[in-house]
Amino acid sequence: MATPEFWFVLVTVLFVGYFVLEGFDFGVGMIMPMLGRGPTAEITEKRRRVVLNTIGPVWDGNEVWLITAGGVLFAAFPEWYATLFSGFYLPLLLILVALILRICAIEYRGKIDDPVWRRRCDLGIGIGSWVPAVLWGVAFANIVRGVAVDENKKIVSGLLDLLNPYALLGGATTALLFLFHGAVFVALKTSGDVHRDAAALAGRLALPATAATGAFALWTQLAYGKDWTWWLVGVAVAALLAAVVAAHAGRDGWAFLGTTVTIAGAVVLLFASLFPAVLPSTLDPAWSLTVENASSSEYTLRVMGWATVIVAPVVLGYQAWTYWVFRRRLSVADIPKSIGLAR
């Protein structure tokens, strides 16, 4: 537990957990307007509440994975953390602002019983879901591709350098994959009309999500991958195709498992393609940050290891228990009438 390689693997695991769990959170926020349409204002509001309630008990717990990943990155790889957050300041700030907007919109949506207020909150949920879904793909694609890191471990490239074709494809891939992941999750967690519409939406999203994911995985492998990472490409694409087939057959649980494996495989592919670097330099390979020159001392890593052994099982157990408690499917019939709509 005191080796930089162990902590690199742990960072990978934390981001796998974050993108799998927050991935369907983002997807639900993005598709809520699509699934929240009804013949009357009352039905529309109830459908939107059903969609939002699928993530209601878990979305804030899912965000803990990002906080933990950032904390581990800061403690285990301070050079990586400092260089990354200074050079990617604007996109990471936009992600943070979007996440704050989404948090406020979800928490305060039901505090004022007014249709205009709820529409504004729904807009905040949408923006707070779309922006991170796209920018996370752009950011991680640039990390794998490499940026202009100089001999002082500073990123000297500008914002426009981050908007290259590979990164833009990465952003489109994460957005489409999270949309599909979210639609499958809503289908898994609901019944009735909302379930039917979510399953139909998942079917429409299957082709663009598969095309973008396949193209991005293949580009990553050919340009930055290693000989042994081809199997990760195969796992990710095969799992996504299995999810498409399962969703078409109405096997919601298997479809969700497929999208989960796809996202996990894609994240592992990115980190595996990156290793042993953590932030490649496009100016000079000798200036790249690696797991060795960017890590903390052995003593720091050892202390962090013991803390992880003690705390991690408790956190994982609590989150698993939360998902078990709120495992039941939801429908419009479970949503009480709003006071404002009853007037």
Side-chain angles (χ1 to χ4, degrees):
M1 291 186 295
T3 64
E5 290 79 9
F6 169 83
W7 287 97
F8 180 84
V9 172
L10 184 57
V11 169
T12 304
V13 171
L14 290 171
F15 274 107
V16 166
Y18 174 69
F19 284 123
V20 167
L21 298 176
E22 273 285 76
F24 65 72
D25 285 350
F26 293 146
V28 169
M30 289 188 282
I31 66 176
M32 193 169 76
M34 308 176 199
L35 298 179
R37 300 190 185 100
T40 65
E42 180 181 351
I43 297 300
T44 294
E45 172 58 16
K46 285 189 173 185
R47 286 174 63 100
R48 293 196 175 202
R49 288 171 64 186
V50 167
V51 174
L52 190 58
N53 285 353
T54 60
I55 62 171
V58 298
W59 67 267
D60 47 355
N62 294 343
E63 288 192 339
V64 173
W65 287 79
L66 176 62
I67 298 171
T68 306
V72 170
L73 202 64
F74 172 79
F77 299 100
E79 296 286 356
W80 185 12
Y81 182 94
T83 302
L84 180 65
F85 275 74
S86 61
F88 287 62
Y89 181 81
L90 184 56
L92 292 177
L93 177 63
L94 289 174
I95 290 174
L96 178 60
V97 171
L99 291 177
I100 293 173
L101 177 63
R102 188 182 68 138
I103 291 170
C104 294
I106 292 175
E107 290 289 350
Y108 288 101
R109 186 182 189 276
K111 302 301 182 183
I112 299 177
D113 196 8
D114 177 68
V116 176
W117 171 262
R118 286 192 290 265
R119 283 197 296 271
R120 291 173 178 172
C121 288
D122 291 347
L123 179 61
I125 293 171
I127 294 173
S129 300
W130 276 100
V131 171
V134 173
L135 290 185
W136 276 125
V138 172
F140 270 88
N142 275 295
I143 292 172
V144 174
R145 176 179 178 269
V147 290
V149 179
D150 65 12
E151 68 275 17
N152 297 315
K153 299 180 180 178
K154 293 182 179 179
I155 296 178
V156 294
S157 56
L159 176 63
L160 292 180
D161 295 320
L162 301 179
L163 303 179
N164 53 79
Y166 176 67
L168 294 176
L169 178 59
T173 299
T174 50
L176 288 168
L177 193 52
F178 291 164
L179 277 168
F180 184 47
H181 192 43
V184 169
F185 179 76
V186 173
L188 176 66
K189 290 290 293 178
T190 59
S191 59
D193 291 342
V194 177
H195 166 81
R196 182 201 63 215
D197 293 347
L201 179 60
R204 294 193 296 272
L205 291 169
L207 180 59
T210 302
T213 302
F216 182 67
L218 187 60
W219 190 340
T220 300
Q221 175 61 34
L222 293 176
Y224 312 106
K226 302 173 176 63
D227 291 340
W228 62 271
T229 55
W230 272 108
W231 73 273
L232 291 170
V233 177
V235 167
V237 174
L240 186 55
L241 292 175
V244 172
V245 173
H248 181 72
R251 304 296 297 271
D252 303 323
W254 287 106
F256 183 71
L257 177 62
T259 56
T260 296
V261 173
T262 298
I263 294 173
V267 175
V268 174
L269 173 63
L270 291 175
F271 277 90
S273 301
L274 189 61
F275 185 82
V278 293
L279 192 60
S281 173
T282 56
L283 299 179
D284 188 336
W287 296 340
S288 298
L289 298 182
T290 67
V291 292
E292 295 295 336
N293 66 24
S295 67
S296 294
S297 66
E298 181 180 349
Y299 177 76
T300 300
L301 298 181
R302 187 182 302 115
V303 172
M304 289 172 55
W306 283 110
T308 301
V309 168
I310 296 171
V311 176
V314 178
V315 176
L316 291 174
Y318 176 78
Q319 190 165 30
W321 176 79
T322 303
Y323 275 91
W324 174 256
V325 169
F326 293 101
R327 65 189 182 278
R328 190 173 71 86
R329 290 177 182 259
L330 302 172
S331 70
V332 171
D334 297 313
I335 305 299
K337 182 178 292 187
S338 170
I339 297 175
L341 291 171
R343 291 173 182 169

